[in-house]
Amino acid sequence: MNTASALSNTRLARCFATLREVDRAALVTYVMAGDPDADTSRRLLERLPAAGADIIELGMPFSDPMADGVAIQRAGQRALANGHTLIRTLEMVRDFRQVDDDTPIVLMGYLNPIQRFGESRFLQAAADAGVDGLILVDLPPEHGAALTAKARDLGLARIPLVAPTTPAERLPGLLAQGDGFVYRIAYNGITGGRHMAMEDRLETAVGELKRHTTLPIAVGFGIRDGQTAAAVARTADAVVVGSALVETLATQGTEAALALTRELAEAITIVR
Amino acid sequence: MTTYTDAFPDADGFFGGDIKGYGGRYVAETLMPLIGEIEAAYDTARADPEFQSRLAELGRDYVGRATPLYFAERLSEHFGGARIYLKREDLNHTGAHKINNALGQALLAQRMGRRRLIAETGAGMHGVAVATVAARLGMTCVIYMGATDIERQQPNVQRMRLLGAEIVPVHAGTATLKDAMNEALRDWVANVDDTFYIIGTVAGPAPYPRMVRDFQAVIGRETREQLLATQGRLPDTLIACVGGGSNAMGLFHAFLDDETVAMVGVEAAGEGLESGRHAASLNGGAPGILHGNRTYLLQDDDGQIRDAHSISAGLDYPGIGPEHAWLHDSGRASYVAVTDDEALEAVGLCCRLEGILPALESAHALYHAGRLAATQGPDQIVVVCLSGRGDKDMETITRHLGENPQ
């Protein structure tokens, strides 16, 4: 069992510890950095915690996001079309830290922009900017050991993704490189792919994961409203909402995205 | 002694070691177990004489193998140098080398109990090949194709529909081959239980680069036997076009350990390497990670993938198979580039002198063959992989050369 995380006194660890005291799941909100433009994105980021986001997952735009559905693909394209880059994403985090030193920020994205930037240089810059963790969609543990070791040295959590297809024998390898929390993908598919049907299986899956790790378990993919979020929050330690939020921002703007965040936060608060 | 042919890739799918090597399995966790399953099933099938004999039998009776190794007498005369031979993959059923791989993977899918085949396609030749074998084996088939490519490859789109395939237009990104591949991967992630993804080139996560190479390696094995039988010796130079690079790997593989045999991959220079509008990942790109493997990619300073450009939809891809990346770095093969205009020139020449209409893709290799043969003597033998026929390109060719090309 993966117990003693090297990263014990971090924003992520403190966040989950606080929520455990009040017996509430964390709300993890995903937004794409630079979507639709730098200013809007920056202002939204700053207001998410007050609206109820416990952890912010910040997407790093990539031209070819093979695990993402249309909503997040388009968000990345909007950001890139407006000249967003990896450096700007890190600058956004650094600016955010001027006004908020508590809310954990986790970067999510694909490996190529990071490798182009330089792996070590990126990890150092991310740590300096105040990033707390990384979710790298296309870096399986088989190829991730070196990056994980460097990230750990800098206090950056490598958050492992676990899929419904993941067999039990892969878990030790995945979790050995895991810090912060575990991200359990709710169904086989891409982000925003379908409205998640709540099933008993999710409870079983989370329970099964808990036998392998003491890290908090987040569940994401397909959670679009308060009702689904509440259902997931009964079992999971954190609920991740991405595409629904990104879509709301695109079609109805910042205020609507913040209203959805508040709705989700309230739904999660009252379930336990 | 370590040989090229049996040493690569390693267990993690890397050609040349996992520090500076190319390949690997850079995919989402959902796909990792599936890829492992395919690898295990493939290794078993590969060693199974029954699987191999079924593949060989369909290759012979359905695809039409062996394809001829044809001495292009008039082309050779025209350039006044080396003797040019054409490996006639254009004479395969469906008109290109693509069916060698489509058939192999479809038989593997059948063996694994998968009923639904998906594939990406650029020029449509891989899509047609997959739709064809799906019909032959009684399987469902969905083809992802960029909206831009659908427009410029209409005959193949109609062909795939006639064969019973569903064509899904991809509007994302640049609406070409790379976006079709993204979309096929998304489909696969969502349909892991019944679906087999037939990747059309020697790229993607391991084991695809190795598996596709193995299914295409019949090209080089036949070439070797045929030349030994008629000329009693090995060729001096092998030339093939490279987009992802499957026909080139197929031709090269059987000769990797023959030090006297030179190998040249021909990339699409589009409007010229200096124009920035090309598809030459080795000559104009840098290493990176896309579509499950580490390889050379066209990308900008921020690591965003750049649009490829080529007159031939089949070469219009911003990456290249990882084994080519390794052969490039190790110096075992060399890689040159040929422009749109030069490829068109080769199409005209091959039609008039040999009565053969080559695909625009293959015409890139033909152009370089002429360029090289002209500098050599008649004692030299150059083998060009004529990977496909050009019927699908008639509209593009006519648009560029006019109604009455001279």
Side-chain angles (χ1 to χ4, degrees):
Chain A
M1 185 177 275
N2 176 33
T3 47
S5 168
L7 310 175
S8 52
N9 188 26
T10 61
R11 284 187 203 93
L12 277 170
R14 289 195 295 271
C15 171
F16 280 108
T18 307
L19 290 171
R20 212 172 295 124
E21 279 169 25
V22 298
D23 193 25
R24 174 166 80 76
L27 175 63
V28 184
T29 54
Y30 174 103
V31 288
M32 179 67 81
D35 170 40
D37 57 71
D39 282 345
T40 310
S41 187
R42 195 179 305 258
R43 283 198 297 267
L44 174 62
L45 202 66
E46 285 177 11
R47 294 177 63 191
L48 279 171
D54 298 301
I55 297 170
I56 296 172
E57 209 181 304
L58 189 59
M60 299 178 279
F62 182 47
S63 53
D64 294 77
M66 65 175 181
D68 284 304
V70 172
I72 291 177
Q73 286 173 42
R74 290 198 180 132
Q77 282 170 10
R78 283 191 295 269
L80 291 173
N82 280 321
H84 201 81
T85 58
L86 190 53
I87 287 197
R88 290 194 183 180
T89 301
L90 295 172
E91 284 170 359
M92 269 182 78
V93 178
R94 200 188 54 204
D95 292 350
F96 177 83
R97 284 282 167 250
Q98 306 297 314
V99 297
D100 185 327
D101 199 29
D102 299 316
T103 310
I105 293 194
V106 169
L107 297 181
M108 180 164 190
Y110 297 81
L111 206 48
N112 197 56
I114 291 171
Q115 294 231 322
R116 186 70 175 173
F117 192 87
E119 206 171 276
S120 299
R121 184 180 157 226
F122 167 77
L123 293 171
Q124 186 63 57
D128 292 347
V131 170
D132 300 288
L134 302 168
I135 303 176
L136 300 174
V137 178
D138 53 356
L139 184 63
E142 284 82 347
H143 302 332
L147 187 144
T148 303
K150 283 188 242 174
R152 265 186 188 152
D153 285 347
L154 293 163
L156 290 168
R158 262 263 282 149
I159 291 133
L161 289 157
V162 173
T165 51
T166 306
E169 59 266 27
R170 277 183 66 77
L171 287 176
L174 273 164
L175 296 170
Q177 290 183 33
D179 292 303
F181 61 93
V182 177
Y183 190 139
R184 173 59 157 76
I185 298 168
Y187 57 83
N188 293 327
I190 52 178
T191 54
R194 64 182 185 196
H195 199 290
M196 195 177 78
M198 280 310 304
E199 294 167 70
D200 295 344
R201 271 188 297 168
L202 191 62
E203 206 171 325
T204 318
V206 171
E208 169 69 17
L209 261 177
K210 293 236 176 219
R211 296 203 295 116
H212 290 269
T213 181
T214 54
L215 290 173
I217 313 292
V219 172
F221 279 40
I223 301 166
R224 304 187 62 86
D225 51 33
Q227 199 188 342
T228 328
V232 173
R234 277 190 199 102
T235 359
D237 302 307
V239 179
V240 188
V241 181
S243 297
L245 203 57
V246 166
E247 236 170 71
T248 305
L249 174 67
T251 55
Q252 300 169 55
T254 303
E255 294 307 324
L258 290 166
L260 175 60
T261 306
R262 280 188 287 269
E263 178 199 326
L264 293 161
E266 276 165 33
I268 284 177
T269 309
I270 55 172
V271 296
R272 286 191 195 162
Chain B
M1 187 185 105
T2 309
T3 62
Y4 275 96
T5 41
D6 66 16
F8 302 113
D10 66 17
D12 287 326
F14 284 104
F15 296 89
D18 65 356
I19 301 301
K20 289 181 182 165
Y22 301 98
R25 295 183 187 89
Y26 295 93
V27 295
E29 173 58 22
T30 311
L31 293 179
M32 284 300 286
L34 272 87
I35 285 167
E37 220 179 294
I38 289 177
E39 177 140 44
Y42 173 59
D43 284 336
T44 314
R46 191 170 183 252
D48 181 356
E50 207 171 301
F51 178 83
Q52 292 297 347
S53 78
R54 172 108 170 109
L55 180 62
E57 184 190 305
L58 282 168
R60 185 190 66 217
D61 300 338
Y62 188 65
V63 176
R65 302 211 71 91
T67 59
L69 181 67
Y70 164 74
F71 174 46
E73 196 177 351
R74 296 195 68 213
L75 266 180
S76 303
E77 265 171 28
H78 176 84
F79 291 109
R83 280 176 290 159
I84 300 172
Y85 284 78
L86 306 180
K87 180 59 175 165
R88 298 291 308 275
E89 290 300 299
D90 60 317
L91 295 178
N92 282 328
H93 179 40
T94 71
H97 69 292
K98 291 292 185 187
I99 198 161
N100 300 328
N101 167 53
L103 180 63
Q105 287 196 54
L107 287 175
L108 180 64
Q110 192 180 49
R111 200 181 151 98
M112 293 175 72
R114 302 288 154 82
R115 305 286 309 153
R116 180 174 178 267
L117 302 179
I118 61 170
E120 84 294 342
T121 197
M125 299 312 279
H126 176 55
V128 166
V130 173
T132 297
V133 295
R136 172 63 185 78
L137 299 177
M139 297 164 108
T140 311
C141 179
V142 178
I143 304 291
Y144 289 90
M145 191 167 183
T148 306
D149 290 337
I150 287 183
E151 216 164 286
R152 59 179 169 176
Q153 305 287 338
Q154 266 302 313
N156 274 344
V157 173
Q158 295 309 326
R159 254 172 109 186
M160 288 186 275
R161 290 202 174 115
L162 193 58
L163 289 159
E166 180 193 343
I167 314 297
V168 181
V170 179
H171 298 281
T174 54
T176 58
L177 182 54
K178 82 170 170 77
D179 307 291
M181 198 156 173
N182 289 332
E183 212 54 40
L185 282 163
R186 291 177 188 127
D187 176 313
W188 199 23
V189 173
N191 297 286
V192 291
D193 295 329
D194 65 340
T195 297
F196 190 103
Y197 179 16
I198 301 193
I199 293 181
T201 191
V202 286
Y208 282 97
R210 169 170 69 99
M211 180 165 70
V212 177
R213 174 199 72 195
D214 290 352
F215 288 135
Q216 293 293 1
V218 65
I219 301 173
R221 279 200 307 274
E222 285 177 9
T223 300
R224 195 186 171 91
E225 280 168 27
Q226 288 163 326
L227 207 59
L228 283 172
T230 61
Q231 305 302 311
R233 71 182 195 82
L234 294 175
D236 298 292
T237 309
L238 304 172
I239 301 177
C241 65
V242 286
S246 71
N247 88 87
M249 265 331 298
L251 178 65
F252 293 174
H253 189 247
F255 298 95
L256 282 173
D257 288 328
D258 300 306
E259 284 170 23
T260 60
V261 180
M263 298 171 186
V264 187
V266 184
E267 296 192 303
E271 294 172 9
L273 291 179
E274 67 292 336
S275 73
R277 285 177 53 76
H278 59 79
S281 350
L282 289 173
N283 284 291
I289 288 161
L290 179 70
H291 292 152
N293 60 172
R294 180 172 188 273
T295 188
Y296 279 81
L297 302 170
L298 300 181
Q299 53 181 316
D300 66 17
D301 291 340
D302 194 42
Q304 308 298 335
I305 306 305
R306 272 177 30 211
D307 300 351
H309 167 82
S310 170
I311 192 171
S312 74
L315 302 182
D316 207 343
Y317 180 67
I320 186 166
E323 193 163 7
H324 283 297
W326 168 246
L327 292 174
H328 169 268
D329 281 14
S330 70
R332 178 63 188 92
S334 58
Y335 294 84
V336 299
V338 159
T339 65
D340 290 350
D341 289 344
E342 290 166 339
L344 280 165
E345 189 185 320
V347 167
L349 205 60
C350 190
C351 282
R352 289 192 304 278
L353 295 178
E354 296 291 348
I356 295 170
L357 169 60
L360 276 168
E361 289 79 6
S362 323
H364 286 73
L366 278 172
Y367 183 87
H368 182 70
R371 190 160 65 180
L372 179 74
T375 68
Q376 298 180 330
D379 57 318
Q380 296 280 303
I381 292 178
V382 171
V383 174
V384 181
C385 187
L386 197 74
S387 55
R389 68 184 186 215
D391 307 49
K392 68 183 173 66
D393 297 318
M394 275 314 297
E395 204 189 307
T396 307
I397 293 168
T398 308
R399 196 167 60 241
H400 283 84
L401 295 183
E403 302 273 339
N404 296 295
Q406 291 304 306

